[in-house]
Amino acid sequence: EVITRDEMAEMLIRAVESRKGALSQTGESFKDQDQIKNQEAVGKASGAGLLSGYEDGSFRPENGLTRAEVASVILRYRELVK
């Protein structure tokens, strides 16, 4: 089963906040913001540098993550929770 970018944001924020406490929602605004189900988690993940949007300003919340994206997210997560 594919994990969407929206779902990954939610899982990441749960994991980070369980170790570091609450994060503020200071992420960027995306042009497809209205399609994002977990807007708070995406905002926090974006603000923490865990996930980012694409060059066209979209987040594409329903897209699955590529292996490269997952590897990048894992590295960023590890740095954040040190």
Side-chain angles (χ1 to χ4, degrees), residues 3 5 8 12 49-52 54 64-77:
I3 295 173
R5 291 170 51 79
M8 177 60 87
L12 283 168
L50 293 168
L51 289 171
S52 60
Y54 292 94
L65 288 124
T66 65
R67 288 183 183 141
E69 287 173 319
V70 170
S72 179
V73 166
I74 290 169
L75 289 174
R76 290 183 203 144
Y77 169 80

Side-chain angles (χ1 to χ4, degrees), residues 53-69:
Y54 292 94
E55 288 181 10
D56 67 357
S58 66
F59 184 73
R60 302 179 195 164
E62 294 301 316
N63 281 15
L65 288 124
T66 65
R67 288 183 183 141
E69 287 173 319

